[in-house]
Amino acid sequence: MEAYIQAVLRHATYDIDSDGSTFGAIDIAPELAVSAAGATRAQCTAALERALYQCVRAALQAQRHLPSIDGILPPTDNHEQVSGATRHTS
């Protein structure tokens, strides 16, 4: 799942507000449309990543189709290896 999430994150767009906070959005596919905000771009990206994990988990649980992104196939179940440890995503 990690490679898939990172591929989707590469398509994020960011806007910086007048107060310096950052708003980010991903709309590469309807199934993966998420947005988030943070005090910094790094915080916004972390929030987008969390939102994407939730979005992908929900799609997998509902057995909805997820598109391949930049040649990376979507995960196929709710058990994925992430950073060397098994993450159960239900």
Side-chain angles (χ1 to χ4, degrees), residues 9-43:
L9 279 172
R10 285 192 291 273
H11 294 273
T13 57
Y14 296 93
D15 289 313
I16 299 174
D17 200 1
S18 60
D19 67 358
S21 61
T22 303
F23 175 79
I26 298 170
D27 62 1
I28 189 169
E31 305 87 349
L32 299 169
V34 296
S35 60
T40 66
R41 183 175 171 140
Q43 288 176 349

Side-chain angles (χ1 to χ4, degrees), residues 31-88:
E31 305 87 349
L32 299 169
V34 296
S35 60
T40 66
R41 183 175 171 140
Q43 288 176 349
C44 182
T45 300
L48 280 172
E49 185 173 7
R50 287 189 301 272
L52 277 172
Y53 270 108
Q54 292 174 349
C55 181
V56 170
R57 279 186 233 133
L60 292 173
Q61 288 174 348
Q63 297 181 341
R64 289 192 309 263
H65 169 76
L66 291 171
S68 63
I69 304 295
D70 299 336
I72 309 249
L73 295 175
T76 57
D77 63 29
N78 283 346
H79 295 84
E80 293 290 329
Q81 292 292 322
V82 178
S83 302
T86 299
R87 177 185 290 206
H88 179 52

